[in-house]
Amino acid sequence: MRNKPIQYRSTNLRAPAVNFEQALLKGIAPDGGLYMPEEIPRFTLEEIKDFSNAQYREIAFTVGNKFLAGEIPEDDLKRIVIDAYDYEVPLERVYDRKYVMRLDQGPTASFKDFAARMMGRLMQYFLDRKSGELLILTATSGDTGSAIANAFYGLDNIKVVVLFPSNEVTARQRKQMTTLGKNVTILSLDGKFDDCQALVKQAFADRELDYLNLSSANSINIGRLIPQTMYYFYSFAKLRSGDPDEQVIFSVPSGNFGDLCGGLIAMNMGLPVKKFVVATNENDEFPKFVESGLYEKLVPSRNCISSAMNVGHPSNISRLVAFYGGNMNEQGVINTAPDLNRIREDMYAVSINDHETEAMIKDAYKEYNLLLEPHGSVSWAGLMRYLHETGGQKDQLCISLETAHPAKFPEKIREILSFDPELPPSLQGLEEKKESYEHLPEGYQAFKSFLKDNY
């Protein structure tokens, strides 16, 4: 057991180290960087094997406690985890030892529920201890907004403002945010996700808004990443063979790269990962970086059917670069190059276009009765390409992440497969609910004025 809590330091390296509570409630470091743990606690292989007979919430507690010991008493953390994770995590076998992990059974039918629910409860815990209040600013490209809005809905001491690009979310994704009300405010913006995210970051850096006590619930917040390490441990523990030297391949659909960074944390904690297939849509700035060593933002980002991944400059790239010994500022400028050889050893980065995404939805259903939505299709297509290029072994354990429920994309599923996916309970009745959201004029001053006038 550690004698003192883990400290967190900014990727920009110009801000003092803080504890988890401070990193969580602040969201972004004063120097504009993202918080990273100074040390990553490790599990032994024996400890990881012991997870095989554990429930998800037990694994989540054990992983979370590695980071939070010394800041949250174990009994309190257990209560938080039990409350956050009251739904299943299906592991669907497709063929041989190739699986899809369905992270779509939470209250908003998205993998974002895993991070948002845990983070919301952690924030509430720390705020209750000091009677504090927060204003959460979040940009969404699809699923983050609804997951955050749901996780924080009705809390007395936390207000939430979500910005989304008007033309790049589905009707169901939008309605999951805009039908709540109370402490949740939704703003639409004529622009891209990157534009929404830039406004949020600019507000954090604006000293005139310090009185609002701003924080973030995007994956720029370290409180989002730690919960996203947990399902990597869970899936491996449940699917591993008896081979003590077994390694797993994960395929991760990647937009803002928070999910991948959760996996990298898990690997650095001792999870035996052979390779991450980093599957992007046509926003291919990362695959090109891995290939060439040159990082160039995509401005504007490309609008693809896997809308939550339409990100031209992923915030978490700076964390990924830091994992491999480099340094990148928030503008995407690499000051110190990361170890590209190690990145290439750990990752296979691939871009899947819309035509390939649609074709994979059709082929996977026809061949395996596997129902995928666009983001999960990008992930599965990326894995299939990797296995084809490497002559993947039959007994190699591979887990592809499905990050949203197919019913969130009914128009696309209907167009490709000629039927409507069955609605999960979390999406039933959504069409009849009344929406409420505001349209925000372009530019930071309009956003700043909105915040000052309303909060």
Side-chain angles (χ1 to χ4, degrees):
M1 184 67 69
R2 288 186 311 276
N3 294 322
K4 60 180 183 178
I6 290 174
Q7 296 290 290
Y8 295 81
R9 194 169 291 280
S10 168
T11 53
N12 281 351
L13 306 175
R14 298 190 306 272
V18 298
N19 64 16
F20 178 79
E21 177 183 354
Q22 294 166 312
L24 173 74
L25 296 181
K26 190 62 181 171
I28 195 166
D31 62 359
L34 307 188
Y35 283 116
M36 288 274 288
E38 282 192 335
E39 61 172 301
I40 294 181
R42 289 188 63 85
F43 288 109
T44 66
L45 269 178
E46 287 303 315
E47 288 175 311
I48 294 172
K49 289 175 186 175
D50 288 343
F51 286 158
S52 293
N53 297 317
Q55 295 181 342
Y56 188 89
R57 58 184 60 175
E58 294 172 316
I59 296 173
F61 164 76
T62 305
V63 174
N65 195 47
K66 283 279 191 179
F67 287 96
L68 299 172
E71 292 201 59
I72 299 180
E74 289 191 0
D75 287 346
D76 290 340
L77 183 58
K78 284 178 182 176
R79 282 193 291 271
I80 289 170
V81 167
I82 288 170
D83 188 41
Y85 301 122
D86 57 356
Y87 50 89
E88 297 299 315
V89 186
L91 298 166
E92 180 179 345
R93 180 179 174 273
V94 184
Y95 73 92
D96 295 339
R97 300 191 69 219
K98 313 301 181 276
Y99 290 81
V100 167
M101 175 163 51
R102 292 200 175 272
L103 302 172
D104 58 5
Q105 299 298 298
T108 69
S110 161
F111 82 108
K112 302 289 177 72
D113 290 322
F114 287 85
R117 284 169 69 83
M118 184 74 172
M119 182 173 65
R121 284 151 179 79
L122 289 170
M123 283 183 166
Q124 185 77 12
Y125 175 83
F126 288 122
L127 288 171
D128 283 347
R129 291 203 310 194
K130 58 183 182 182
S131 300
E133 292 188 349
L134 277 183
L135 175 59
I136 301 287
L137 303 183
T138 292
T140 185
S141 54
D143 291 323
T144 292
S146 56
I148 294 301
N150 181 281
F152 290 85
Y153 174 69
L155 299 182
D156 294 331
N157 51 0
I158 301 178
K159 294 181 174 64
V160 179
V161 175
V162 180
L163 290 83
F164 73 93
S166 301
N167 299 317
E168 294 196 13
V169 302
T170 70
R172 280 186 178 153
Q173 285 175 321
R174 188 187 70 241
K175 287 184 177 182
Q176 283 188 301
M177 300 183 282
T178 59
T179 56
L180 292 172
K182 286 193 177 180
N183 61 321
V184 176
T185 299
I186 310 298
L187 301 175
S188 73
L189 187 74
D190 289 334
K192 300 285 188 178
F193 167 76
D194 295 298
D195 300 318
C196 298
Q197 188 159 256
L199 292 184
V200 169
K201 289 183 175 180
Q202 200 166 344
F204 285 136
D206 192 335
R207 299 282 70 90
E208 291 183 23
L209 298 181
D210 282 352
Y211 74 97
L212 292 174
N213 203 16
L214 299 176
S215 187
S216 170
N218 277 91
S219 59
I220 59 177
N221 193 314
I222 191 65
R224 277 273 301 274
L225 261 60
I226 290 173
Q228 289 180 270
T229 66
M230 298 165 179
Y231 43 73
Y232 288 97
F233 282 102
Y234 173 82
S235 58
F236 176 74
K238 294 301 177 184
L239 298 175
R240 70 178 184 86
S241 68
D243 182 355
D245 298 320
E246 180 170 42
Q247 293 181 302
V248 57
I249 294 170
F250 286 103
S251 187
V252 186
S254 299
N256 212 24
F257 280 60
D259 209 1
L260 177 65
C261 282
L264 290 174
I265 291 173
M267 182 174 70
N268 280 274
M269 293 180 78
L271 190 67
V273 178
K274 179 178 181 178
K275 186 79 74 174
F276 287 105
V277 176
V278 184
T280 73
N281 59 19
E282 292 172 46
N283 292 279
D284 58 355
E285 63 280 354
F286 183 72
K288 286 184 174 178
F289 169 62
V290 173
E291 182 181 0
S292 69
L294 298 175
Y295 181 78
E296 294 184 9
K297 297 187 289 186
L298 270 176
V299 182
S301 59
R302 294 166 182 152
N303 189 8
C304 302
I305 60 172
S306 48
S307 55
M309 295 156 61
N310 293 342
V311 185
H313 173 46
S315 290
N316 284 289
I317 288 289
S318 64
R319 280 193 174 113
L320 188 152
V321 167
F323 269 119
Y324 290 88
N327 175 258
M328 171 191 279
N329 69 18
E330 59 270 31
Q331 280 79 43
V333 177
I334 295 179
N335 300 311
T336 305
D339 188 335
L340 266 173
N341 289 330
R342 280 181 55 218
I343 289 176
R344 290 166 181 153
E345 186 178 319
D346 291 345
M347 301 176 211
Y348 170 85
V350 58
S351 172
I352 304 296
N353 64 35
D354 275 356
H355 174 73
E356 293 167 320
T357 303
E358 293 180 348
M360 184 53 72
I361 291 174
K362 184 175 183 179
D363 293 347
Y365 190 75
K366 180 180 179 181
E367 189 169 356
Y368 301 113
N369 201 32
L370 173 64
L371 182 57
L372 300 170
E373 51 74 49
H375 307 80
S377 177
V378 168
S379 181
W380 186 253
L383 177 61
M384 293 300 101
R385 187 178 299 180
Y386 171 76
L387 293 176
H388 176 74
E389 289 187 8
T390 59
Q393 296 176 330
K394 183 177 180 180
D395 59 353
Q396 170 64 57
L397 176 60
C398 299
I399 302 171
S400 181
L401 277 58
E402 171 62 283
T403 55
H405 197 284
K408 298 187 86 166
F409 302 86
E411 297 87 0
K412 187 54 64 176
I413 300 299
R414 193 183 308 123
E415 174 191 328
I416 298 171
L417 299 178
S418 302
F419 68 84
D420 275 332
E422 185 177 349
L423 281 177
S426 60
L427 297 180
Q428 292 174 7
L430 196 60
E431 310 301 327
E432 289 74 45
K433 292 182 179 179
K434 184 179 178 181
E435 290 189 85
S436 175
Y437 64 99
E438 297 187 39
H439 185 80
L440 192 71
E442 286 189 43
Y444 175 66
Q445 283 306 315
F447 182 46
K448 181 175 180 177
S449 296
F450 177 87
L451 294 176
K452 295 180 76 171
D453 292 344
N454 289 277
Y455 300 98

